[in-house]
Structure formats: structure tokens, C-alpha cells
Amino acid sequence: MTRFLLSRAAGAFVVLMAKSFVIFALIGLMPGDPVDLLMNANPDATPEDIAHLRQLYGVDTPIFERYWHWLTAAVHGDFGFSRLQHRPVWDIVIPALGNTIVLTATAFTIATVIAITLGTIAALKRGTWIERAIGLLAYTGISIPAFWLGLMLIYLFAVILGWLPAGGMPRPEEGIRGIFSHLALPVLTLVIVEIGAPTRYARAAMLEVLGQDYIRTARAKGLSSRRLILKHALRNAMIPVVTIIALGMGNLFSGALLTETIFAWRGMGRLILEAIMGNDYNLALVCLLFTTAAILLANILADVAYTKLDPRIGLGGRRK
Amino acid sequence: MSPILQAENLSVRFPAGREGWFGPKREVQAVSNVDLSLFAGETLALVGESGSGKTTFARALLGLVGHSGGTMRFDGADIAAMNRTARQAMRRTVQMVFQDPFGSLDPRLTVASIIAEPLRIHNIGSAATRRERVRALLVQVGLPPDAASRYPHQFSGGQRQRIAIARALAPAPRIIIADEPLSALDVSIQSQILNLMAELRDRAGLSYLLISHDLAAVHHLADRVAAMYLGRVVEVAPRDALFDTPAHPYTRALLDAVPRIGAGKRVPGGALQGDIPSPLAPPPGCAFHPRCPRASSVCAVEAPVLRVLAGAHQAACHHPLEIAA
Amino acid sequence: MSAHAEESVSVWHLRWLRLKRDRAALAGAGLLALLLMASESAPIYEAWQGVSGVDADLLSRFDPATAQHWLGSDDAGRDVFARLLRGGQTSLTIGIMGALGASIVGTLIGSISGYFRGRVDMVLMRFTDFMIALPQLPILIILAALDLTKLGFSSEFIRSGSAGYWRIVVIVTLLGWTGVARLVRASTLALAEREFVLAARAQGAPAWWVLGIHIVPNAITPVIVATTIAMGRVILAESGLSFLGVGIQPPATSWGSMLSNAQELITSAPMLAIWPGLLILVSVVAINFLGDGLQAAFDPRSDPR
Ligand code: SF4
């Protein structure tokens, strides 16, 4: 187990390094460079100043060298300054990360529970209108643009009904109620968008498990349906579903980015968008790396959960 | 007379994955040190149970699987040392007919494109001459010329095998390697294809390397026969010598399983016992000893080598059966 | 016999019969065709009604729905219906182009990976995994915001209208090929063992010949299904990018960029936000229905919806 985790972590680390370089290189291709941006803000600068600054920022050195500089600084805990907010990147990223985790973890939990429930119901009520309705719901979830859904929810609940705030963060004086009311719409948006695929997988997995011999045997032995489903089928059907959901973390994050933008939720997604649009290189880079690291971590956890849930599968996904 | 196609000490190994997770890499020795020659105009048959390495041997000759040891010669020249032109020329000359007439024809191509494919790969003729050639070939293998514009699935198994044969004949080869060309066909069709192969051989002076476990077909078509067991050649002999007086207990057992071929006396109940061992762990000594009725203690320790018993009759056995001189 | 005749011409007939019975898939296909035709006829509609989906008309801002403006006009006095048609033109063709691009790249990488195996396969598949695990949307945004002059493109080209369009197509292609690549690789691994492939290899046929003539045409089934599914994803990605302001740039328009515009007007003119989103939803649902129908029709073992 330890050995498996270590080898996975080592693999993830290599991937993370590769990604940090790719992202670093891509960001270097974005419009302008730090010196140009400083110059625009300061019309009195002389050509000598510019040359000095360029050297200071290392703009003209080759990309590998710049990357190496950045990496060594990052390893020492120095992620640089945000150009837009004039604060260390670290101080900005941590609260945003917290906000995103609150949002996505809530949505993730709710979506998983609902998806498994709906998928199971759909499988058990095979061929009825209930199955068809659940199927349609799943379809809608897969097909709906997250930002449009958010807009529609704002229009309905904030503009027409006036029940919930249209967006923004809860203020401390609003207490627990404020947290719930501000979370409600973004979470609902994410849940609807994320629910489609896992519901369909849960249904398919459940159908497959129900068709297997040992379930038929158990039925023939007279185990009651309800206990049977809970004890045998559900557990076995959940394995692929959990994996699918965890592997979809990257997707969840893309949804979160759009949702946070719509609802002015101060999370990583919104921060990334602002950083990219505002040419805030350091900030964008660090945000993206954190996100990538989180996705890789989720994938490793999915593997572990997969093996924990199914004793037949050895670590590494090989069937014994 | 010198052979046109020759394998010297040829071996093929396949990786077989690891034992467990971090265990040692394993290998299957599919073909072990095979020496065989094919002479111009003759038909050499390879017989043996499935898993004996016949097909792998043929595929190694065609370069479809890499070999791990030994030499292959074409007209005396080492194939490994050939340049691209010479190798392409050889590939033109050595054609193959596969076992499964459903799998060996691309379902998305017309019969004309299938038959003309070797011509196109080897850049033979113009589009018009190729079209002519396809029609001539179709007639030659007994199909109507209008078959050219149809698709493989519109034909029966026997007809499809005729198409496959026409494809093999297209670049005017000297050698055809036929890997179980009959086993996927209905019994009633088998003899037709067999007769077609015999007729084509006589007309075009072809050499065949015929791989088959159908001893009746082998008896009908072959001039010489080689028996293989677990990747090794255990006996080679002219057809009549092998069928009438097999020297190797394995060959004997193969023949005993099919009565009424050849004149040799049959021992009832002498057919093969048990399964062919896993090629991952071949038995030491003579690989056949666990199943051999004549096995002695030396058989479990020392591997017998192929040696001449009489004339062209060779066998690899410590205690060969008596043969006619 | 029948098992082998599977992938032949008659099989396409069987598939068609199966697809014809799938009402959801047929409805999806019909709807999609209708949307495509309607959006392609935007200029005809504009000429006929004497309206414009492009030019501002400040005298008729926020007009209600009338016989002339079927769905009213927007904040710049442009006809909403005509604008929806023009937006559809962009969104749908980007969906088609992006999906085609993704399936071409995916087919190339997947078939090469599956045919050569060994080290080539390992490198290509690691690369695919790498692409899959990237946080897609942020990378899309960065790609959309890249300064193309740093890559050596001329600035005239970048400012031209079609550059914005093709930039989006290229971006969605770059990130969308992975699913196709995996499917094609799996098919290639199986096909490479088939005897008709061995027959061609025994002739000394070069790899491009075997791949182009035997493997890819026989692996076309998963490619078609994956392309259809990719099209829905591409449309969603484009609308997201345009909504965030990094996709289709004015004066060109897409459903996503219309939504971007409508966001601030949600309280005063909600219909401006409702229509484009509804069209995105309907097209993507239609595509997914079609994709599932194709999958079921092509793979009789897959379970019928
Ligand atoms: S060598 Fe021994 S075991 Fe092998 S075939 Fe001959 S008699 Fe049998």
C-alpha cells in the first residue's frame, strides 16, 4: 500500500512538474510582458530604466532559465507578487482555495448522493416512466451550459422571487443563514451540471450488477430485494461510479470556474479568470498549479477508493 | 538442388508478461532451433497439434513476427542482410493464404481491390493491366469475372478462400505459404479448394508450405511432411515414408488418431493422451516425454536431436520406431 | 457467417434500420438539421423582413416582439431572431469543425499508437493522459488569450474576422482529441491482429498504407460516435469561452457571446438571455440523443435506452 502510494505520488509529481512548465510557457505567450505593463503605468520611464527592469525581471532570458528561476523561488516558498492586487500571491490564493473547496465539496457530496440514488432508482424501475424521467434529467445536466443555468437561476430566485441573493460572498454579520443563502444557487448550479454523467454510470453499473449470477443466486436463496440491493448490488455498483466522479474532478473545476464567475463567488476559478484576463502572470501560474495538483490528488484518491471498495482489484487497477 | 526458402536454427520468442507484479519477465519459446528447407516445386507440409509453433514459424518466414535467433535464406541469400529492394522482391515471390477466409479479406474493399492490393503495393502494372489481371485470376480460381465489383461478405466461405488464393497468385509468386487453408471450410468445400491448390501448383510450378492438422489433406497434397511439437521439428520425411512408417512416437500418435490413411499398421488406443504442455514451462529433456509411451529415463534428461534414420527420413527421438529402409 | 459479415456494407443497412427505430436519435438528427438550415439562411430572413442581426439601430432598442421583429430587438436595436440565426451559424459550425478536427487528430494519434505499440504507444498515451488531466477550461482561456504575434503570426491576420473563428476551432481541437484517440487506439489494437492486416503486412506494405487502407476505415464506427459526442462538448466549450469574453469577438457573434451581452441586462431584458441559452441546450441535447442512438445502432450489445 505504502509502496503503491509512493509510486503514484512520484508519478503525479513528475506530471505536475511537466505541467508547471507547460503552463509557464503558455503564460509567457500571453499579451505583453511584465515590463511593458509597468511602463504603461509610468510614462516618464527612460530607455535605461526599461533595460534595467527587463534585466531585473529576466524577460529576455531563455524560457528554461526563467522557469528555473521561478521554480527555485517557488520551492523556497516564494510564489511572487500579484500584479493586480499588490500582495503576495500566497495570501490571495489560500482564501480563494478555501472558498472553492467549500463550494465544490458541498456540490460534489450532494451530486454524488443524488446521482447514486437516481441511478439506482432508474435501474430498479427499468422500462418505466420514472427511468425515462431520470434519463432526461441526466441528459439535461450533461447538455446545459453551466453559466446559462446560473443566469436562469439568478433570474428566477433573485430577480423574480427575491428569495436568494444574486451572488457575492456571505458577510460575517449574516451568520450561518447568510452562508446557506449565498451557497444555495451556486451549489444548485454545479449539482445540476455535474449530476448527469454519474447518474448514467450508476444506472449502468447497477443494471450490470443486478444481472450478475451471484445476485440471481442470492435472490433465488430468498434474500429480500431491499436488503439485497443495499448489501450486495449497491456496493459493487458504486465502484465504477466513485471512480468516474473522482476522475471528473477536472470537469467539476471547469464548472466551478463558470459558476464562480456568474455568482461572484471569490474562489479559485474566478481568481484564475481575473488573473489571466488582467495579465497577472504570477497569480495565474500559481492558481493553475494548485488546481492541477488538486486534480491529480483526486485521481490518486479515486484509485485508492477503487481498490478499497473492490478487494478483487489489486492496487494499480489490475484484476486478480 | 538448392532450397529456395530455408530456415537454419530458427527460434522465435515472445514476451509473456511478468510473473506477478515485479517478478521476472517471462518468455515463450514458440519456435526452437528449427531447420527446414523448401525446394522448388515441392509441397512441404507442417503437421502438429495447435500450439506446436507451426503458424508462428510461417509468420516468422514472412517477417510478420521477429525471430530471436537463426537465419532465414531466400534463394541462398540471408534475408536479414537484404536491402529494401531485394526484400520487396522476395515478398512478391512468397505469398500467404490464411486460415480464416472471413478474417483475411478486408470487409470494406471490393474483391478487385483485394486481389489487386499486392500488385499496387509492389507497383506492378497500370490500373488497366491490373484490372485485366484481376479478371484473369478470378477465372483461374473458378470465380465469375463479375465478382470483381462485389464485397467479400457476398461470398461463401469457399468462394472467399478462392479470392484469397487469387490474391496470393496475383504477383506471380514462386512460393505460397498456406496456413490451415481448409480448416475454416465445410467438408464438402475442402476437397474443391484442395483440388484447386493442386491444379495451380502443377500449372504454375508453385512450391507450397502447407500448414495443416488435416492429415488427409496433407496426404493428398504434400511431397514431404514435417511434424512439429512444442516449437521443435520432431520428424521430417517424404510423405509415404512418414505415413507408412513414422519413426517418432509423436507422429505415430498423430496418425493413430486418424485411421485409414497410409498403409502403416494401427495400434488401437494409441492416440495422444493428455494435453500439450504449456510452452511457458516446456518439460526438460525430450519435450514429448510426459506423453510418450516409449519414454525412458534418458528422455527426461537429454533432448534428442534431429538425425537421419534412412535417406531423407529424419527424426528427433532416442528410441525411434522401426522404419522401412 | 453473420458474425463476420458484421462490418460489411450490409451492416450499414442494419445500423440504419436500428437507428430508424430510435425515435430520440431521429428527433435529434432532425432538430440539428433544422437548426443548421435555419441558421444558414440568416441573410435570407434578414432581407425578407428588412431587419438586421448585425447593424445597430438605435431608434428601435428593446423593441417588443412584432411581426417585423419576431423576437423583438436587443440593446443595440438588432433583430433578436436574426441575431440568433447568425449566432447559431457560428456556434454550430464551430461545433462541427472542432469535432472534426478533434477526430482527425485523435484518429491519427490513436491509430499510430495502437499500430506501432511499444515505446511509441507509451509516449503517446502518457501524452494523452497528460492532456486529459489538465484543468480544461483555464487552459482554454489561456489559449484563447495567447498573443499570437509571439508565435510569429502577422497582426493583420490576427485582427481579421476569420482568425478569431479559427483560433477557437484550433483550441477546441487541441483539447478535444483525447477521447477519440483512446477509442481508435483500442480498435487499432484489435484490428492489427486481423488476418487482412497481416496479409497486407506480409506484402511489405508500409505503415501508412496499412493504417490508411485497412485500419482507419475499419475503425470508423467509434470515430463517428466519438465525433458526434465531441460536437456537443465543443459547442459547450465555445459558448463558455465566448461568454467569458475570450471566444468569438464582436462584430462576429455566437450564442455564447450573445449571453455574455445579456448577462447585465438580466433584470430588464431577460429574454435576451433566455433564447441563446435555450438554443445551446436544445442543440446539445439533440447531439447527445443522436450520439447515443448511433452508439446503440453501431454496437448491438450496448444497452438500448
Ligand atoms: S525421445 Fe523418448 S520421450 Fe521423446 S519421443 Fe523419443 S522415446 Fe518418446
Side-chain angles (χ1 to χ4, degrees), chain B residues 248-264:
Chain B
H248 197 281
Y250 175 64
T251 318
R252 173 64 181 270
L254 280 181
L255 291 171
D256 283 346
V258 214
R260 291 190 308 279
I261 308 174

Side-chain angles (χ1 to χ4, degrees), chain C residues 87-275:
Chain C
Q89 230 170 26
T90 317
S91 293
L92 293 174
T93 53
I94 283 184
I96 294 171
M97 296 289 185
L100 281 180
S103 56
I104 291 170
V105 175
T107 304
L108 267 179
I109 291 186
S111 59
I112 289 174
S113 192
Y115 185 67
F116 290 102
R117 304 199 195 181
R119 209 163 287 170
V120 177
D121 186 33
M122 211 189 75
V123 169
L124 285 177
M125 281 301 113
R126 282 290 89 77
F127 180 57
T128 311
D129 290 345
F130 177 84
M131 295 295 290
I132 288 174
L134 281 175
Q136 292 253 341
L137 192 56
I139 298 290
L140 282 171
I141 295 170
I142 293 186
L143 287 175
L146 287 190
D147 181 358
L148 291 184
T149 52
K150 289 193 182 175
L151 287 173
F153 288 95
S154 77
S155 43
E156 297 96 81
F157 168 74
I158 291 161
R159 267 183 231 110
S160 68
S162 62
Y165 179 90
W166 288 109
R167 175 202 279 251
I168 298 297
V169 171
V170 169
I171 289 172
V172 291
T173 298
L174 282 181
L175 288 169
W177 56 267
T178 50
V180 184
R182 293 185 150 216
L183 283 172
V184 172
R185 175 176 172 273
S187 304
T188 305
L189 283 176
L191 284 166
E193 297 295 314
R194 297 284 297 273
E195 288 186 338
F196 61 82
V197 170
L198 293 178
R201 281 180 51 208
Q203 301 291 345
W208 63 265
W209 177 288
V210 179
L211 285 172
I213 293 192
H214 298 294
I215 290 190
V216 172
N218 279 292
I220 205 72
T221 297
V223 173
I224 291 176
V225 174
T227 307
T228 315
I229 292 167
M231 189 178 157
R233 306 235 313 256
V234 168
I235 290 181
L236 283 179
E238 180 276 324
S239 71
L241 287 179
S242 297
F243 175 76
L244 294 174
V246 290
I248 294 297
Q249 303 295 333
T253 185
S254 76
W255 289 333
S257 66
M258 289 178 75
L259 274 170
S260 177
N261 229 5
Q263 189 184 6
E264 289 98 63
L265 304 168
I266 185 80
T267 39
S268 55
M271 291 315 278
L272 291 184
I274 291 178
W275 288 120

Side-chain angles (χ1 to χ4, degrees), chain A residues 15 18-19 22-23 26-33 126 136 139-140 142-148 151-152 154-155 159 200 203-204 207 250 253-255 257-258 261-262 272-273 276-277 281 284 288 291-292 295-296 299, chain C residues 129-139 141-143 145-148 150-151 236 239-241 243-246 256 259 262-263 266-267 270 273-278 280-281 284-286 288-289 292-293 303-305:
Chain A
V15 172
K19 280 180 185 172
V22 169
I23 294 169
L26 278 177
I27 285 182
L29 286 169
M30 290 192 8
D33 62 44
R126 194 162 189 204
L136 201 64
Y139 256 107
T140 315
I142 293 171
S143 312
I144 205 165
F147 54 94
W148 182 67
L151 266 184
M152 291 299 108
I154 290 177
Y155 181 59
V159 178
R200 295 180 59 177
R203 173 184 159 279
L207 280 178
F253 184 78
S254 295
L257 190 151
L258 288 164
T261 310
I262 290 278
I272 288 181
L273 183 67
I276 296 174
M277 302 311 275
Y281 304 103
L288 280 168
T291 313
T292 312
I295 292 171
L296 287 172
N299 288 354
Chain C
D129 290 345
F130 177 84
M131 295 295 290
I132 288 174
L134 281 175
Q136 292 253 341
L137 192 56
I139 298 290
I141 295 170
I142 293 186
L143 287 175
L146 287 190
D147 181 358
L148 291 184
K150 289 193 182 175
L151 287 173
L236 283 179
S239 71
L241 287 179
F243 175 76
L244 294 174
V246 290
L259 274 170
Q263 189 184 6
I266 185 80
T267 39
I274 291 178
W275 288 120
L278 212 52
I280 297 173
L281 176 62
V284 180
V285 167
N288 283 339
F289 273 157
D292 271 16
D303 109 80
R305 226 169 337 105

Side-chain angles (χ1 to χ4, degrees), chain B residues 248-250 286 288-289 292 294-296 299 304 316-319:
Chain B
H248 197 281
Y250 175 64
C286 172
F288 188 55
H289 83 260
C292 182
R294 296 172 71 88
S296 68
C299 300
C317 177
H318 295 304
H319 315 292

